[in-house]
Amino acid sequence: MLRWSVHLEGGPRRVNHAAVAVGHKVYSFGGYCSGEDYETLRQIDVHVFNTVSLRWTKLPPVRTGGHERAREVPYMRYGHTAVLLDDTIFLWGGRNDTEGACNVLYAFDVNTHRWYTPKISGAVPGARDGHSACVLGKTMYIFGGYEQLQKQIHILLFHLLYWSLIILGSPARWRDFHSATIIGTKMFVFGGRADRFGPFHSNNEIYCNKIKVFDTETNCWLNTPSTQLLPEGRRSHSACKTQTHLAIVFRKGKFNDFFVQLWFSKVTFSFY
């Protein structure tokens, strides 16, 4: 039976933050907490969890030394994403109550704890939050998010620092606060909030409960076989790849404290 074995105090109390594992440490960026100020522009906070000592630390604010340097440090936000490539964490998107949504790409060097903004070209995606971001090789895949008018996938080629838009085939339904996980050369999308009649056309929200699969080799969405046992639709959950499963931790739904696992070779669910 799967169960939680360690309960730790001292970490940030947040939702819709972004976290990345780097070696034996986990870097957590920003997020939303009731009662905190998201109108005043301030630097995003960075908390680091050491999996060896089982302790949290908060990194000190970055000394900017001027307005131009300050623009290279992201402001506090929620609903953003963060991915790791080599020794650099790339943070994109997110929302602040004053500035709204953002589409600037920020880079964080895990060795020096220095922020900078790479010079990007191409079709930069529109600002949004609640999207997903996955890295395969030297490419980042962005899908969904709130304030997105298109349902296609944006890719960032890191070796060229170039944004491109994939417009092949029929896209999956628009959604936000879903999960997306790379397994092999395919991206598995689960859950999220959508609208029954399309993005922003009504207030008839639905929560998806089917797996959508995007093939990065053909740049097309695949048809997935149906299965009788499906979890309830939900948003703001998390997902990760194990050796044989896609493991999903529920946040919304009656299975709130349990895992669901997807056999991605057979596309069947099991609950724990």
Side-chain angles (χ1 to χ4, degrees), residues 11 23 82 209:
N209 71 335

Side-chain angles (χ1 to χ4, degrees), residues 244-257:
T244 58
H245 290 78
L246 171 65
I248 298 169
V249 183
F250 288 165
R251 176 185 179 273
K252 181 181 176 65
K254 66 180 181 181
F255 301 105
N256 198 41
D257 298 325

Side-chain angles (χ1 to χ4, degrees), residues 173-192:
R173 182 191 295 269
W174 166 89
R175 66 193 70 197
D176 64 2
F177 293 101
H178 52 283
S179 63
T181 309
I182 291 288
I183 300 173
T185 59
K186 296 178 176 62
M187 182 174 72
F188 289 72
V189 174
F190 175 78

Side-chain angles (χ1 to χ4, degrees), residues 36-259:
E36 290 193 359
D37 181 9
Y38 292 89
E39 294 184 356
T40 303
L41 289 185
R42 53 191 171 93
Q43 290 185 15
I44 195 169
D45 55 22
V46 183
H47 293 80
V48 183
F49 178 68
N50 189 312
T51 62
V52 176
S53 65
L54 300 181
R55 293 291 183 269
W56 283 96
T57 58
K58 182 178 180 181
L59 299 185
V62 176
R63 294 183 179 180
T64 57
H67 180 68
E68 290 300 320
R69 178 69 180 91
R71 294 176 59 182
E72 295 189 350
V73 182
Y75 51 77
M76 192 63 177
R77 65 191 62 204
Y78 50 89
H80 49 288
T81 54
V83 299
L84 176 68
L85 183 64
D86 299 327
D87 291 331
T88 304
I89 296 173
F90 292 92
L91 185 148
W92 191 83
R95 179 178 300 275
N96 180 282
D97 292 349
T98 296
E99 294 293 313
C102 177
N103 69 342
V104 177
L105 181 70
Y106 295 92
F108 179 81
D109 189 312
V110 298
N111 297 312
T112 64
H113 293 171
R114 173 180 174 269
W115 287 100
Y116 61 96
T117 53
K119 294 186 180 300
I120 303 294
S121 60
V124 179
R128 70 197 67 182
D129 68 324
H131 55 283
S132 60
C134 293
V135 168
L136 178 61
K138 299 291 185 180
T139 302
M140 178 170 69
Y141 294 81
I142 296 289
F143 175 66
Y146 188 74
E147 287 194 0
Q148 183 195 25
L149 299 180
Q150 300 174 358
K151 296 185 290 184
Q152 305 289 355
I153 290 180
H154 294 265
I155 63 173
L156 175 63
L157 304 175
F158 282 114
H159 64 293
L160 300 174
L161 291 178
Y162 182 84
W163 281 106
S164 182
L165 174 64
I166 297 176
I167 57 176
L168 298 177
S170 299
R173 182 191 295 269
W174 166 89
R175 66 193 70 197
D176 64 2
F177 293 101
H178 52 283
S179 63
T181 309
I182 291 288
I183 300 173
T185 59
K186 296 178 176 62
M187 182 174 72
F188 289 72
V189 174
F190 175 78
R193 176 185 62 175
D195 191 287
R196 193 176 303 276
F197 303 106
F200 322 126
H201 292 171
S202 73
N203 292 321
N204 196 340
E205 293 182 350
I206 59 174
Y207 292 86
C208 304
N209 71 335
K210 294 181 175 62
I211 291 285
K212 299 295 182 181
V213 182
F214 180 78
D215 190 330
T216 64
E217 293 183 319
T218 62
N219 286 340
C220 290
W221 291 95
L222 304 179
N223 293 323
T224 54
S226 60
T227 178
Q228 293 183 348
L229 183 60
L230 288 172
E232 291 183 358
R234 64 205 66 235
R235 60 176 291 198
S236 299
H237 54 283
S238 60
C240 64
K241 173 185 175 294
T242 69
Q243 289 184 345
T244 58
H245 290 78
L246 171 65
I248 298 169
V249 183
F250 288 165
R251 176 185 179 273
K252 181 181 176 65
K254 66 180 181 181
F255 301 105
N256 198 41
D257 298 325
F258 293 82
F259 289 90

